[in-house]
Amino acid sequence: MQKLKLFVENFFVYGLGGIISRLIPLILVPVIIRLFPDPAYYGLTDLSATVIQFGSALALMGMSDAMYRMFFEREDEAYKRSVCSTALLFTLFTSLFVFLVMLLFKEPIAAFFFGDRAYAYLVCITAVATLVGATNNIVSAPTRMQNKKKVYLTANILSPVLAYSLAIPLIQRGYYVIALPLSMLAANLTIEVIFYAFNCRWFCIRKFDFKLLREMLAIAIPLMPNLLIYWVFNSSDRVMIANLAGTGASGVYAVGAKLGHVSQLIYTAFAGGWQFFAFSTMREKDQVASNSWIFEYLGILSFIAGAFMCALSGSIFRVLFTPDYREGYLVAPYLFLAPLLQMLFQVIGNQFLIIRKTWPVMVILLSGAALNVVLNLWFIPRIGIEGAAIATLTGYMVSNVIAVVVLRKMRLLDLSLRFCACAGVMLVYFVAWRFIFSQSVEIGIVAAWNMMLVCVWFYRQDLRQLICVLSRAGKHG
């Protein structure tokens, strides 16, 4: 009961902060795209975020996960301060290096990512945002590791409010290319200052420890390729679309991804509380069983949510977006499921991190990412932006299947046959939606309800137990 309470509390409380930070931009997408005279401008904004994600992955080098892992290694506060200080100073050094490289090669970067060397000034803004984003990740970590919920929640509400308060006036004045990147940079810098004010006692130059750094790098360096592979999964399709189909198509894809990434709210809620829960319970005897049921339950919720997104995608696009962006309704369901599959992979992939074997995660993810790139090259010229979405979802599916097989053989995961049955039902539903009733909301909703009922039937015993537990908790409360 205590473990369930800990997981749910971190999922909803920490996740709520991340959800709000993503929900505000999501709500404002229909407003923002109407302010842009051409989808290409929104495509450039999305590509800027893509470069930031890539640069941040290089700058962090997996240090954030290593910091979490080592923070819970001992209860000694002096040791914890050394972990935080070592992580920040190392990340500051690597972030400055990435920042300088981006400035030095701003024109080639602009040509590759944005399709024109004239956007070198956008690379400069992106370089500063990368520096701030990578260090912000470390500076904010003690807030979550100490369970300071109110601070984390407040900061995540303030960030998007500040960003869009600055962005909308800039767009209205005609600064279409730099409005959102510059505003996001200002907001993230403000949030970093706030987090540092709250967490400064955890960071001290004198607490930097070379010996501890070697231990952290032993965990972090094998994780760095994983971060880059995640970037390939989540962002390389934007770059390939921009180069193969133009920034206009990239803008349409970005809007489809925004709607699809409603599921990022679920993933963000999960990620906000998962690290604390996973590492604080990693030494318990029933850890494998707990991790397995979390994987199954989150998987079932993902399937059900994905089915309803398929049913509603077309009508949502017709209501919210202009005709220029309507094609995006086809990619939204694929990109809705992709972050959820990423979430599921991280649940089971964490088993490798707990036993300090991170290389299998890299190999498995690399297989899925390589498949993703190959499918992008094949599908995008033939079926356009839907091909990129198919490639992303397929890559995650393959990665999850490989991870499940490997972890079951290592006895680090228990997976029931009923979960496999539900996954098969979801696959059948998805194919039927695409080829039979993608244009019919009514049929889609009925089919989604039926799929949900099938999943409920398979997990009826678990639901009864959960209802009993919640009922007893309510009586005691």
Side-chain angles (χ1 to χ4, degrees), residues 288 292 295-296 348 351-352 400-420:
V288 170
S292 300
F295 175 79
E296 286 201 23
I348 54 177
Q351 297 297 83
F352 293 111
N400 272 277
V401 170
I402 295 173
V404 166
V405 171
V406 171
L407 287 167
R408 288 195 71 186
K409 287 187 176 181
M410 296 175 68
R411 297 184 179 180
L412 292 174
L413 179 69
D414 296 324
L415 198 64
S416 66
L417 290 176
R418 60 184 179 172
F419 178 81
C420 298

Side-chain angles (χ1 to χ4, degrees), residues 354-381:
I354 286 175
I355 63 173
R356 297 198 181 193
K357 290 184 178 180
T358 54
W359 65 265
V361 178
M362 179 188 68
V363 174
I364 294 169
L365 280 175
L366 186 59
S367 301
L371 178 62
N372 182 12
V373 172
V374 170
L375 292 177
N376 272 328
L377 290 171
W378 175 261
F379 282 138
I380 292 174

Side-chain angles (χ1 to χ4, degrees), residues 197-428:
F198 280 100
N199 297 327
C200 59
R201 76 182 187 89
W202 293 96
F203 303 108
C204 177
I205 295 177
R206 289 174 296 177
K207 288 289 183 180
F208 181 84
D209 188 330
F210 275 105
K211 182 179 179 182
L212 184 59
L213 177 61
R214 287 196 297 271
E215 292 183 49
M216 295 174 74
L217 287 176
I219 298 173
I221 290 177
L223 289 174
M224 181 187 172
N226 299 344
L227 298 175
L228 296 176
I229 293 168
Y230 276 129
W231 180 86
V232 171
F233 268 120
N234 298 324
S235 302
S236 66
D237 47 2
R238 272 94 161 158
V239 179
M240 296 177 78
I241 289 171
N243 282 278
L244 295 172
T247 53
S250 183
V252 176
Y253 185 82
V255 172
K258 280 292 184 183
L259 178 61
H261 285 182
V262 169
S263 63
Q264 283 278 11
L265 304 181
I266 302 172
Y267 172 76
T268 302
F270 158 80
W274 173 247
Q275 284 181 311
F276 178 84
F277 173 83
F279 292 125
S280 63
T281 61
M282 65 183 179
R283 290 189 174 86
E284 296 189 6
K285 293 181 180 179
D286 62 344
Q287 189 274 336
V288 170
S290 298
N291 205 71
S292 300
W293 65 251
I294 288 172
F295 175 79
E296 286 201 23
Y297 295 166
L298 289 179
I300 295 300
L301 290 174
S302 299
F303 298 155
I304 294 171
F308 280 98
M309 172 54 72
C310 288
L312 297 171
S313 176
S315 59
I316 291 173
F317 263 80
R318 283 192 292 272
V319 172
L320 294 181
F321 303 115
T322 61
D324 290 339
Y325 297 90
R326 294 277 166 81
E327 187 185 353
Y329 92 93
L330 283 174
V331 307
Y334 299 100
L335 300 180
F336 180 89
L337 278 169
L340 299 180
L341 292 184
Q342 180 182 347
M343 172 182 71
L344 295 178
F345 184 86
Q346 288 186 355
V347 170
I348 54 177
N350 192 72
Q351 297 297 83
F352 293 111
L353 185 56
I354 286 175
I355 63 173
R356 297 198 181 193
K357 290 184 178 180
T358 54
W359 65 265
V361 178
M362 179 188 68
V363 174
I364 294 169
L365 280 175
L366 186 59
S367 301
L371 178 62
N372 182 12
V373 172
V374 170
L375 292 177
N376 272 328
L377 290 171
W378 175 261
F379 282 138
I380 292 174
R382 288 165 176 80
I383 56 176
I385 60 175
E386 186 182 7
I390 293 172
T392 299
L393 184 61
T394 303
Y396 273 123
M397 287 174 59
V398 169
S399 295
N400 272 277
V401 170
I402 295 173
V404 166
V405 171
V406 171
L407 287 167
R408 288 195 71 186
K409 287 187 176 181
M410 296 175 68
R411 297 184 179 180
L412 292 174
L413 179 69
D414 296 324
L415 198 64
S416 66
L417 290 176
R418 60 184 179 172
F419 178 81
C420 298
C422 290
V425 171
M426 178 59 194
L427 183 60
V428 171

Side-chain angles (χ1 to χ4, degrees), residues 136-147:
N136 197 354
N137 196 291
I138 302 296
V139 169
S140 63
T143 300
R144 284 189 289 168
M145 292 189 292
Q146 295 174 88
N147 251 355

Side-chain angles (χ1 to χ4, degrees), residues 49-50 54 73 182 191 203 219 231 350 397 434 453-454:
T50 296
F54 180 73
E73 186 71 20
L182 192 61
I191 296 304
F203 303 108
I219 298 173
W231 180 86
N350 192 72
M397 287 174 59
R434 181 60 186 90
L453 291 174
V454 170

